[in-house]
Amino acid sequence: MALDLSLLNPAQRDAVMHVDGPLLVIAGPGSGKTRVITWRVAWMIEQGVSPWSILAVTFTNKAAQEMRERIARVAPSDGARICTFHSFGAMFLRAEHERLGLARDFSIYDESDQLGLIKKACSELGIDKDTLAPREIRHAIGEAKNGGITPHHYLSNARSWREEKIAAAYAKYQDLLLGNNACDFDDLLLRPVAALRDNSELRERYANRYRYILVDEYQDTNAVQYELTRLLGGTHRNVCVTGDPDQSIYSWRGADITNILNFEKDFSDTRVVVLGHNYRSTKNIVSAADALVRNNVSRKSKDLFTDNEAGHNIRVVMTQNETHEGIRVAAIVKDLIEHEGIDYNDVAVFYRTNAQSRALEQGLREAGIPYVIVGSVEFYKRKEIVDVLAWLRLLINPTDEQAFGRAIANPGCGVGEASAAKIVAAARARGINLIDAVRDPDVLALLRGKPAAGARAFGEIVGKLAAMPKTPATGIVSQVISLTGYESWIMRDDPARGLERVENVQELVSDAAIFDETNRGATLADYVERVSLINDIDKYDPGKRAVSLMTLHSAKGLEFPAVFIAGVEDGSIPHMRSITGDSGNLEEERRLLYVGITRAKRFLHLTLARHREQFGQSTRNSPSRFLRELPQELLAQEDHTGGLFGVGLGGVKPAAVESLPFDDDVEPASDDDGAAAPDPWEGADTGPGLRLLRKEPLPAEPPRPEIVPGGMVNADLNVGDRVRHQMFGVGKILSFTPHAGGTRARILFTGWGEKNMALEYARLERIEPAR
DNA sequence: GCGGTGTACGAAATA
DNA sequence: CGTACACCGC
Ligand SMILES: Nc1ncnc2c1ncn2[C@@H]1O[C@H](COP(=O)(O)OP(=O)(O)OP(=O)(O)O)[C@@H](O)[C@H]1O
């Protein structure tokens, strides 16, 4: 148990043994930062610091989990809080919910919940979603929240009609969140920060509780996380932050690299430790990474070196398309396993976007290579899972209208959007929650026919579920599935993929079971909270021998003996949006590749596909510009395209490829560009020829038909008339559209937004225009 | 009003 | 290609 500090180098030891006062550890990749953090915590505990007073914040749940385990192995660390910023926020809000006017079991809204709420806000405010896209509003709100700007603030700074609308939507959105007893991800940080800032008693209490604070990946903290760190640690100043400006890859999420650059100013007398000795990778890999990142101009130069052997060259594998890329990767994996003593576990494949995993998976699968997707296209985001979770969320927080809407629609029970809205409105009006509302005879009396029967059935089920014990979580989860008949509904609703989706639902039950197992005494609320904060699922079989697939972003902090980076092409790495758009940040793309490269211990492969299917059509790609920045003598190029990529990268002719195990492939003859010739199509489409073909601006749209065709009962309605609707109240007619068997009217209702309805079904009542 | 169906549009990364 | 949503029939 005792720590053997001789296993650390002098710089690492300095950092580990620094207990009181601010500490900044700038750690190059593979320099033992993780080791330093875990040992430092262990050291503090050994020095008599109570684990209870330690707060270690990591960036991902995976990192938190790993750190918890590693610390537990070297010190009795029970009681230390090791978590992400967001779970700290959630914990804080739960503990302080009362003083913050929040229900204890508030819901945590993810992006799609947010979008739903924003749409609702727009609709209630009469904001047309074609003029102002809900996504844009969400983006604006996110940005505002990251900068700590309140709706009120936003409005007073609004410079345009557009910004005023966004301000209104922001305010409404915030209201709706409140009404639903919900927080979005940003609120999980913002609300604690506001509370700690405004309440010194609270701040002192928390600062006293957490007398030692560690923040990992500090280069990727945003303004709010920075504020939180200062609020908690500003007084006692026992704050240790670790990070590497060269590995900052989250600026798109508001991460601000100046947080780490200014740490020394924020905390005077900071002890600074720089770790530059890489213990992870071969010389060739370290040199390549170092050469690459030196191309970043806005960067403080920093040394990265290693005593490890030179190792193998970096293989640059050029393939024809993404399928071919998958096949080649699989072939090399097989070769590594057969000839290099590498195990499946030792191999990782990284890519820029989740969508790229498909072809790689296929290649591995067809070669019989086991793999796992780490942080996959999030399990908890699949429709069938979201549906079941909506039921769970509703049971925990019966004021959650988003959850209610989803639960009542899935499985479909004959209650549509409008009837659901009616129940919601009735609940609001009566000040009761949604579960009570849907079981209230007076509320049910507002509906008739199919919706009424459906709502009654729904109410019975949800009532039964609400009465059940909420511990353990698994019981309720399976009850939801069986009582709602969810699985048979899926099979009926989507026969093609029904089976797969049923399996996913089953997997959710196992996930809950694992949760119950590892968190004895935890409730359904705990499970729902965890699910809201984590988007990856506990796999059954963590020790499974398998190749890991993940995005470059989720690779941060990990290491593997053999690494593949797929799609090293312009447009992918760097991503298209960073090349074209002005918001793009090429340096961050370079850092992303840097992070990927430095995950490799011994074998590194960069693969390229000449063609890639995107949106159903083929694109042609050039090698990543970053390849030219790597020392060419460290690269071993392998062309499996028959010269489709043209001349070698960086102007160096491809070296005669060493005899490779895969040369017996039949390569289709190159049917297009020859080796040195420029692509015949490239550059041409920007020529003047095409510009002449540009379409003339479209003629202005013909005026909409103003008058109702067809002799309906309501035929005397006109655009602009005010009408009353049974459910939506008073509204104004915007337009009519003829359709088979009658007429539809687009009507703007106050408080409900725009609705499109068939006149023969909507029992509209005309109100005399007030003249 | 509900639910089925056709189509227009769209995906960078994560808590 | 896959999905979200607008549209239309009942
Ligand atoms: N003093 C040391 N002597 C030998 N090996 C070490 C030493 N310190 C760390 N290592 C090894 O170096 C590797 C990288 O360490 P670690 O994962 O802590 O790096 P890191 O700085 O967290 O990397 P990154 O910032 O890239 O995530 C690990 O395999 C670790 O065991």
Side-chain angles (χ1 to χ4, degrees), chain A residues 242-315:
Chain A
T242 55
D244 177 4
D246 289 333
Q247 294 186 63
S248 163
I249 54 176
Y250 284 97
S251 72
W252 51 273
R253 220 177 98 164
D256 184 355
I257 199 166
T258 57
N259 290 346
I260 193 166
L261 299 178
N262 290 339
F263 185 81
E264 287 176 73
K265 287 190 202 125
D266 294 331
F267 291 87
S268 55
D269 305 320
T270 289
R271 178 63 175 274
V272 182
V273 175
V274 179
L275 305 178
H277 189 154
N278 178 299
Y279 293 97
R280 174 183 295 148
S281 311
T282 62
K283 269 204 178 65
N284 285 350
I285 291 170
V286 170
S287 310
D290 191 51
L292 175 71
V293 80
R294 280 178 191 280
N295 286 280
N296 277 353
V297 181
S298 51
R299 163 179 191 265
K300 267 198 216 161
S301 183
K302 176 157 63 65
D303 285 325
L304 187 68
F305 53 93
T306 183
D307 292 339
N308 293 339
E309 56 173 11
H312 301 87
N313 276 350
I314 294 161
R315 282 166 79 170

Coordinates of all heavy atoms in Angstrom, one line a residue, chain A residues 242-315:
Chain A
T242 N -4.5 20.2 -13.9 CA -3.6 19.6 -14.8 C -4.1 19.6 -16.2 O -5.3 19.7 -16.4 CB -3.4 18.1 -14.4 OG1 -4.7 17.5 -14.4 CG2 -2.8 17.9 -13.1
G243 N -3.2 19.7 -17.1 CA -3.7 19.7 -18.5 C -2.5 20.0 -19.5 O -1.4 20.0 -19.1
D244 N -2.9 20.2 -20.7 CA -2.0 20.4 -21.8 C -2.6 21.2 -22.9 O -3.5 20.7 -23.5 CB -1.6 19.0 -22.4 CG -0.6 19.1 -23.5 OD1 -0.2 20.2 -23.8 OD2 -0.3 18.1 -24.1
P245 N -2.2 22.4 -23.0 CA -2.8 23.3 -24.1 C -2.8 22.6 -25.4 O -3.7 22.9 -26.2 CB -1.9 24.5 -24.0 CG -1.3 24.6 -22.7 CD -1.1 23.1 -22.3
D246 N -1.8 21.8 -25.7 CA -1.7 21.1 -27.0 C -2.8 20.1 -27.2 O -3.0 19.6 -28.3 CB -0.4 20.5 -27.2 CG 0.7 21.6 -27.5 OD1 0.4 22.6 -27.9 OD2 1.9 21.3 -27.2
Q247 N -3.5 19.7 -26.1 CA -4.5 18.7 -26.2 C -5.9 19.3 -26.0 O -6.9 18.6 -25.7 CB -4.3 17.6 -25.2 CG -3.0 16.8 -25.5 CD -2.9 15.6 -24.6 OE1 -3.7 14.7 -24.7 NE2 -1.8 15.6 -23.8
S248 N -6.0 20.6 -26.2 CA -7.3 21.3 -26.1 C -8.1 21.0 -27.4 O -7.8 21.5 -28.4 CB -7.1 22.8 -25.9 OG -8.3 23.4 -26.1
I249 N -9.2 20.3 -27.2 CA -10.0 19.9 -28.4 C -11.5 20.2 -28.2 O -12.3 19.6 -28.9 CB -9.8 18.4 -28.8 CG1 -10.0 17.5 -27.6 CG2 -8.4 18.2 -29.3 CD1 -9.9 16.0 -27.9
Y250 N -11.8 21.0 -27.3 CA -13.3 21.2 -27.0 C -13.7 22.7 -27.1 O -14.6 23.1 -26.4 CB -13.7 20.7 -25.7 CG -13.8 19.2 -25.7 CD1 -12.8 18.3 -25.3 CD2 -15.0 18.6 -26.1 CE1 -12.9 17.0 -25.3 CE2 -15.1 17.2 -26.2 CZ -14.1 16.4 -25.8 OH -14.2 15.0 -25.8
S251 N -13.0 23.5 -27.9 CA -13.4 24.9 -27.9 C -14.8 25.1 -28.4 O -15.5 26.0 -28.1 CB -12.4 25.7 -28.8 OG -12.6 25.3 -30.2
W252 N -15.3 24.1 -29.3 CA -16.6 24.2 -29.8 C -17.7 24.1 -28.7 O -18.8 24.4 -28.9 CB -16.8 23.1 -30.9 CG -16.4 21.8 -30.4 CD1 -15.2 21.2 -30.4 CD2 -17.3 20.8 -29.8 NE1 -15.2 20.0 -29.9 CE2 -16.5 19.7 -29.4 CE3 -18.7 20.8 -29.4 CZ2 -17.0 18.6 -28.8 CZ3 -19.2 19.7 -28.8 CH2 -18.3 18.6 -28.5
R253 N -17.2 23.7 -27.6 CA -18.2 23.5 -26.5 C -18.0 24.6 -25.5 O -18.4 24.5 -24.3 CB -17.8 22.2 -25.8 CG -19.0 21.4 -25.4 CD -18.4 20.1 -24.9 NE -18.3 20.1 -23.4 CZ -18.2 19.0 -22.7 NH1 -18.1 17.8 -23.3 NH2 -18.1 19.0 -21.4
G254 N -17.2 25.6 -25.9 CA -17.0 26.8 -25.0 C -15.8 26.7 -24.2 O -15.5 27.6 -23.4
A255 N -15.0 25.6 -24.4 CA -13.7 25.5 -23.6 C -12.8 26.7 -24.0 O -12.8 27.1 -25.1 CB -13.0 24.2 -24.0
D256 N -12.2 27.2 -23.0 CA -11.4 28.4 -23.2 C -10.0 28.1 -22.7 O -9.7 28.0 -21.5 CB -12.0 29.6 -22.4 CG -11.3 30.9 -22.6 OD1 -10.2 30.8 -23.3 OD2 -11.7 31.9 -22.1
I257 N -9.1 28.1 -23.6 CA -7.7 27.7 -23.3 C -7.0 28.7 -22.4 O -6.0 28.4 -21.7 CB -6.9 27.5 -24.6 CG1 -5.7 26.6 -24.5 CG2 -6.6 28.8 -25.3 CD1 -5.1 26.2 -25.8
T258 N -7.5 29.9 -22.4 CA -6.9 30.9 -21.6 C -7.0 30.6 -20.1 O -6.3 31.1 -19.2 CB -7.4 32.4 -21.8 OG1 -8.8 32.4 -21.6 CG2 -7.1 32.8 -23.2
N259 N -8.0 29.8 -19.7 CA -8.1 29.4 -18.3 C -6.9 28.8 -17.8 O -6.4 29.1 -16.7 CB -9.3 28.4 -18.2 CG -10.6 29.0 -18.4 OD1 -10.8 30.2 -18.4 ND2 -11.7 28.2 -18.6
I260 N -6.3 27.9 -18.6 CA -5.1 27.2 -18.1 C -3.9 28.2 -18.3 O -3.0 28.2 -17.5 CB -4.8 25.9 -18.8 CG1 -3.7 25.1 -18.1 CG2 -4.4 26.0 -20.3 CD1 -3.6 23.6 -18.5
L261 N -3.9 29.0 -19.4 CA -2.8 29.9 -19.6 C -2.7 31.0 -18.5 O -1.6 31.5 -18.2 CB -2.9 30.5 -21.0 CG -2.8 29.5 -22.1 CD1 -3.0 30.3 -23.5 CD2 -1.6 28.7 -22.1
N262 N -3.9 31.3 -17.9 CA -3.9 32.4 -16.9 C -3.9 31.9 -15.5 O -4.0 32.7 -14.6 CB -5.1 33.3 -17.1 CG -5.0 34.1 -18.4 OD1 -3.9 34.3 -18.9 ND2 -6.1 34.5 -18.9
F263 N -3.8 30.6 -15.3 CA -3.9 30.0 -14.0 C -2.9 30.7 -13.0 O -3.3 31.0 -11.9 CB -3.7 28.5 -14.0 CG -4.0 27.9 -12.7 CD1 -5.3 27.6 -12.2 CD2 -2.9 27.5 -11.8 CE1 -5.5 27.0 -11.0 CE2 -3.1 27.0 -10.6 CZ -4.4 26.7 -10.2
E264 N -1.7 30.9 -13.5 CA -0.7 31.4 -12.6 C -1.1 32.9 -12.2 O -0.7 33.3 -11.1 CB 0.7 31.5 -13.3 CG 1.3 30.1 -13.5 CD 2.6 30.3 -14.3 OE1 3.6 30.8 -13.7 OE2 2.6 29.9 -15.5
K265 N -1.8 33.6 -13.1 CA -2.2 34.9 -12.7 C -3.3 34.9 -11.7 O -3.4 35.7 -10.8 CB -2.6 35.7 -13.9 CG -1.5 36.1 -14.8 CD -2.0 37.1 -15.9 CE -1.0 37.1 -17.1 NZ -1.6 36.8 -18.3
D266 N -4.3 33.9 -11.9 CA -5.4 33.8 -11.0 C -5.0 33.4 -9.6 O -5.6 33.8 -8.7 CB -6.4 32.8 -11.6 CG -7.0 33.3 -12.9 OD1 -7.1 34.5 -13.1 OD2 -7.4 32.4 -13.8
F267 N -4.0 32.5 -9.6 CA -3.6 32.0 -8.3 C -2.1 32.4 -8.1 O -1.2 31.7 -8.7 CB -3.8 30.5 -8.2 CG -5.2 30.1 -8.1 CD1 -6.0 29.9 -9.3 CD2 -5.8 29.9 -6.9 CE1 -7.3 29.5 -9.2 CE2 -7.2 29.5 -6.8 CZ -7.9 29.3 -7.9
S268 N -1.8 33.4 -7.4 CA -0.4 33.9 -7.3 C 0.3 32.8 -6.5 O -0.2 32.0 -5.8 CB -0.4 35.2 -6.6 OG -1.1 35.1 -5.3
D269 N 1.6 32.8 -6.7 CA 2.5 31.8 -6.1 C 2.2 30.4 -6.5 O 2.3 29.5 -5.7 CB 2.5 32.0 -4.6 CG 2.9 33.4 -4.2 OD1 3.8 34.0 -4.8 OD2 2.2 33.9 -3.2
T270 N 1.7 30.2 -7.7 CA 1.4 28.9 -8.1 C 2.7 28.1 -8.4 O 3.7 28.6 -8.9 CB 0.7 28.9 -9.5 OG1 -0.6 29.4 -9.2 CG2 0.6 27.5 -10.1
R271 N 2.7 26.9 -7.9 CA 3.8 26.0 -8.2 C 3.6 25.4 -9.6 O 2.5 24.9 -9.8 CB 3.9 24.9 -7.2 CG 5.0 23.9 -7.4 CD 6.4 24.6 -7.4 NE 7.5 23.6 -7.5 CZ 8.0 23.0 -6.5 NH1 7.5 23.1 -5.3 NH2 9.0 22.1 -6.7
V272 N 4.5 25.6 -10.5 CA 4.3 25.0 -11.9 C 5.2 23.9 -12.1 O 6.5 23.9 -11.9 CB 4.6 26.1 -12.9 CG1 4.4 25.6 -14.3 CG2 3.8 27.4 -12.7
V273 N 4.7 22.8 -12.6 CA 5.5 21.6 -12.9 C 5.2 21.2 -14.4 O 4.0 21.2 -14.8 CB 5.1 20.4 -12.0 CG1 5.8 19.1 -12.5 CG2 5.4 20.7 -10.6
V274 N 6.3 21.1 -15.1 CA 6.1 20.7 -16.5 C 6.6 19.3 -16.8 O 7.7 19.0 -16.4 CB 6.8 21.7 -17.5 CG1 6.7 21.3 -18.9 CG2 6.4 23.1 -17.2
L275 N 5.7 18.5 -17.3 CA 6.1 17.1 -17.6 C 6.3 16.9 -19.1 O 5.3 17.2 -19.8 CB 5.1 16.1 -17.0 CG 4.7 16.2 -15.6 CD1 3.6 15.2 -15.2 CD2 5.9 16.0 -14.7
G276 N 7.5 16.6 -19.5 CA 7.7 16.5 -20.9 C 8.3 15.1 -21.3 O 8.4 14.8 -22.5
H277 N 8.6 14.3 -20.4 CA 9.1 13.0 -20.6 C 8.0 12.0 -21.0 O 7.2 11.7 -20.1 CB 10.0 12.5 -19.4 CG 10.8 11.3 -19.7 ND1 11.9 11.0 -19.0 CD2 10.6 10.3 -20.6 CE1 12.4 9.9 -19.5 NE2 11.6 9.4 -20.4
N278 N 8.0 11.6 -22.2 CA 7.0 10.6 -22.6 C 7.4 9.2 -22.3 O 8.5 8.8 -22.8 CB 6.7 10.8 -24.1 CG 5.6 9.9 -24.6 OD1 5.8 8.7 -24.6 ND2 4.5 10.4 -25.1
Y279 N 6.6 8.5 -21.6 CA 6.9 7.1 -21.3 C 6.1 6.1 -22.1 O 6.2 4.9 -22.0 CB 6.6 6.8 -19.8 CG 7.5 7.5 -18.8 CD1 7.1 8.7 -18.3 CD2 8.8 7.0 -18.5 CE1 7.9 9.4 -17.4 CE2 9.6 7.7 -17.7 CZ 9.2 8.9 -17.1 OH 10.0 9.5 -16.2
R280 N 5.2 6.7 -22.9 CA 4.3 5.8 -23.6 C 4.7 5.3 -24.9 O 4.6 4.1 -25.2 CB 3.0 6.6 -23.8 CG 1.9 5.9 -24.6 CD 0.7 6.7 -24.8 NE 0.0 7.0 -23.5 CZ -0.6 8.1 -23.2 NH1 -0.7 9.1 -24.2 NH2 -1.2 8.3 -22.1
S281 N 5.2 6.2 -25.8 CA 5.3 5.9 -27.2 C 6.8 5.7 -27.7 O 7.7 6.2 -27.0 CB 4.7 7.0 -28.0 OG 3.4 7.4 -27.5
T282 N 6.9 5.1 -28.8 CA 8.2 5.0 -29.4 C 8.7 6.4 -29.9 O 7.9 7.3 -30.0 CB 8.2 4.1 -30.7 OG1 7.3 4.7 -31.6 CG2 7.7 2.7 -30.3
K283 N 10.0 6.5 -30.1 CA 10.6 7.7 -30.6 C 9.9 8.2 -31.8 O 9.7 9.4 -32.0 CB 12.1 7.5 -30.8 CG 13.0 7.8 -29.6 CD 14.4 8.2 -30.1 CE 15.3 8.6 -28.9 NZ 15.5 7.4 -28.0
N284 N 9.7 7.3 -32.8 CA 9.1 7.7 -34.0 C 7.8 8.4 -33.8 O 7.4 9.4 -34.5 CB 9.0 6.5 -35.0 CG 10.4 6.1 -35.6 OD1 11.3 6.9 -35.4 ND2 10.4 5.0 -36.2
I285 N 7.0 7.8 -33.0 CA 5.6 8.3 -32.7 C 5.7 9.7 -32.1 O 5.1 10.6 -32.5 CB 4.8 7.3 -31.9 CG1 4.5 6.1 -32.8 CG2 3.5 8.0 -31.4 CD1 3.9 4.9 -32.0
V286 N 6.6 9.8 -31.1 CA 6.7 11.0 -30.4 C 7.3 12.1 -31.3 O 6.8 13.3 -31.3 CB 7.7 10.9 -29.1 CG1 8.1 12.2 -28.6 CG2 7.0 10.0 -28.1
S287 N 8.2 11.8 -32.2 CA 8.8 12.8 -33.1 C 7.7 13.2 -34.1 O 7.6 14.4 -34.4 CB 9.9 12.2 -33.9 OG 10.9 11.6 -33.1
A288 N 6.9 12.3 -34.6 CA 5.9 12.7 -35.5 C 4.9 13.6 -34.9 O 4.5 14.7 -35.4 CB 5.2 11.4 -36.1
A289 N 4.5 13.3 -33.7 CA 3.5 14.1 -33.0 C 4.0 15.5 -32.7 O 3.4 16.5 -32.9 CB 3.1 13.4 -31.7
D290 N 5.3 15.5 -32.3 CA 5.9 16.8 -31.9 C 6.1 17.6 -33.2 O 5.7 18.9 -33.1 CB 7.3 16.5 -31.3 CG 7.9 17.7 -30.7 OD1 7.1 18.4 -29.9 OD2 9.0 18.1 -31.0
A291 N 6.5 17.0 -34.2 CA 6.7 17.8 -35.5 C 5.3 18.4 -35.9 O 5.2 19.5 -36.4 CB 7.2 16.9 -36.6
L292 N 4.3 17.6 -35.8 CA 3.0 18.0 -36.2 C 2.5 19.2 -35.4 O 2.1 20.3 -36.0 CB 1.9 16.9 -36.0 CG 0.5 17.2 -36.3 CD1 0.3 17.4 -37.8 CD2 -0.5 16.2 -35.8
V293 N 2.6 19.1 -34.1 CA 2.0 20.2 -33.3 C 2.8 21.5 -33.3 O 2.3 22.6 -33.1 CB 1.8 19.7 -31.9 CG1 3.0 19.8 -31.1 CG2 0.6 20.5 -31.2
R294 N 4.1 21.4 -33.7 CA 4.9 22.6 -33.9 C 4.4 23.5 -35.0 O 4.8 24.6 -35.1 CB 6.3 22.2 -34.1 CG 7.0 21.8 -32.8 CD 8.5 21.4 -33.0 NE 9.0 20.8 -31.8 CZ 9.4 21.6 -30.8 NH1 9.4 22.9 -30.8 NH2 9.9 21.0 -29.7
N295 N 3.5 22.9 -35.9 CA 2.9 23.8 -36.9 C 1.9 24.7 -36.4 O 1.4 25.6 -37.1 CB 2.3 22.9 -38.0 CG 3.4 22.2 -38.9 OD1 3.9 22.9 -39.8 ND2 3.7 21.0 -38.6
N296 N 1.5 24.5 -35.2 CA 0.5 25.5 -34.6 C 1.3 26.7 -34.2 O 2.3 26.7 -33.5 CB -0.2 24.9 -33.4 CG -1.3 24.0 -33.8 OD1 -1.7 24.0 -35.0 ND2 -1.9 23.3 -32.8
V297 N 0.8 27.9 -34.7 CA 1.5 29.1 -34.5 C 1.2 29.7 -33.1 O 2.0 30.1 -32.3 CB 1.0 30.2 -35.5 CG1 1.8 31.5 -35.3 CG2 1.3 29.6 -36.9
S298 N -0.1 29.6 -32.7 CA -0.5 30.2 -31.4 C -0.3 29.1 -30.4 O -1.2 28.4 -29.9 CB -2.0 30.6 -31.4 OG -2.8 29.6 -31.9
R299 N 1.0 29.0 -30.0 CA 1.3 27.9 -29.1 C 2.6 28.2 -28.4 O 3.5 28.8 -29.0 CB 1.5 26.6 -29.9 CG 2.2 25.5 -29.2 CD 2.3 24.3 -30.0 NE 2.8 23.2 -29.3 CZ 4.1 22.8 -29.2 NH1 5.0 23.5 -29.8 NH2 4.4 21.8 -28.4
K300 N 2.7 27.9 -27.1 CA 3.9 28.1 -26.4 C 4.7 26.8 -26.7 O 4.2 25.7 -26.5 CB 3.6 28.2 -24.9 CG 3.5 29.6 -24.3 CD 3.7 29.5 -22.8 CE 2.8 30.5 -22.1 NZ 2.6 30.2 -20.7
S301 N 5.9 27.0 -27.1 CA 6.8 25.8 -27.4 C 7.0 25.0 -26.2 O 7.2 25.6 -25.1 CB 8.1 26.3 -28.0 OG 8.8 25.1 -28.4
K302 N 7.0 23.7 -26.3 CA 7.1 22.8 -25.2 C 7.8 21.6 -25.7 O 7.6 21.1 -26.8 CB 5.7 22.5 -24.7 CG 5.6 21.6 -23.6 CD 4.2 21.8 -22.8 CE 3.0 21.5 -23.6 NZ 2.7 20.2 -24.1
D303 N 8.7 21.0 -24.9 CA 9.4 19.9 -25.3 C 8.7 18.6 -25.0 O 8.1 18.5 -23.9 CB 10.8 19.8 -24.7 CG 11.7 20.9 -25.4 OD1 11.6 21.0 -26.6 OD2 12.6 21.5 -24.6
L304 N 8.8 17.6 -25.9 CA 8.3 16.3 -25.6 C 9.4 15.3 -26.1 O 9.8 15.4 -27.2 CB 7.0 16.1 -26.4 CG 6.3 14.8 -26.0 CD1 5.7 14.8 -24.6 CD2 5.1 14.5 -27.0
F305 N 9.8 14.5 -25.2 CA 10.9 13.6 -25.6 C 10.7 12.2 -24.9 O 9.9 12.1 -24.0 CB 12.2 14.2 -25.1 CG 12.2 14.6 -23.6 CD1 12.7 13.7 -22.7 CD2 11.8 15.8 -23.2 CE1 12.7 14.0 -21.3 CE2 11.7 16.1 -21.9 CZ 12.2 15.2 -20.9
T306 N 11.5 11.3 -25.4 CA 11.3 9.9 -24.8 C 12.6 9.2 -24.9 O 13.5 9.5 -25.7 CB 10.2 9.1 -25.6 OG1 10.1 7.9 -24.9 CG2 10.6 8.9 -27.0
D307 N 12.8 8.3 -24.0 CA 14.0 7.4 -24.0 C 13.7 6.1 -24.7 O 14.5 5.2 -24.8 CB 14.4 7.1 -22.6 CG 15.0 8.3 -21.9 OD1 15.4 9.2 -22.6 OD2 15.0 8.4 -20.6
N308 N 12.4 5.9 -25.1 CA 12.0 4.7 -25.7 C 12.7 4.4 -27.0 O 13.3 5.4 -27.6 CB 10.5 4.6 -25.9 CG 9.8 4.6 -24.6 OD1 10.3 4.2 -23.6 ND2 8.5 5.0 -24.6
E309 N 12.7 3.2 -27.5 CA 13.4 2.9 -28.8 C 12.7 3.6 -29.9 O 11.5 4.0 -29.8 CB 13.4 1.4 -29.0 CG 11.9 0.8 -28.9 CD 11.8 -0.7 -29.3 OE1 12.9 -1.3 -29.4 OE2 10.7 -1.1 -29.5
A310 N 13.4 3.6 -31.1 CA 12.8 4.3 -32.3 C 11.5 3.6 -32.7 O 10.5 4.3 -33.1 CB 13.8 4.3 -33.4
G311 N 11.5 2.3 -32.7 CA 10.3 1.6 -33.1 C 10.0 1.6 -34.6 O 10.9 1.9 -35.4
H312 N 8.8 1.2 -34.9 CA 8.4 1.1 -36.3 C 8.1 2.4 -37.0 O 7.8 3.4 -36.3 CB 7.2 0.1 -36.5 CG 7.5 -1.2 -35.9 ND1 7.2 -1.5 -34.6 CD2 7.9 -2.3 -36.5 CE1 7.5 -2.8 -34.4 NE2 8.0 -3.3 -35.5
N313 N 8.1 2.4 -38.3 CA 7.6 3.6 -39.0 C 6.1 3.7 -38.8 O 5.4 2.7 -38.4 CB 8.0 3.5 -40.5 CG 9.4 4.0 -40.7 OD1 10.0 4.5 -39.8 ND2 9.8 3.7 -41.9
I314 N 5.6 4.8 -39.1 CA 4.2 5.0 -39.1 C 3.6 4.6 -40.4 O 4.1 5.1 -41.5 CB 3.9 6.5 -38.8 CG1 4.3 6.8 -37.4 CG2 2.4 6.8 -39.0 CD1 4.5 8.3 -37.1
R315 N 2.7 3.7 -40.5 CA 2.2 3.2 -41.7 C 1.1 4.1 -42.2 O 0.1 4.4 -41.5 CB 1.7 1.8 -41.6 CG 2.9 0.8 -41.6 CD 2.4 -0.5 -41.2 NE 1.8 -1.3 -42.2 CZ 1.5 -2.6 -42.1 NH1 1.8 -3.3 -41.0 NH2 0.8 -3.2 -43.1

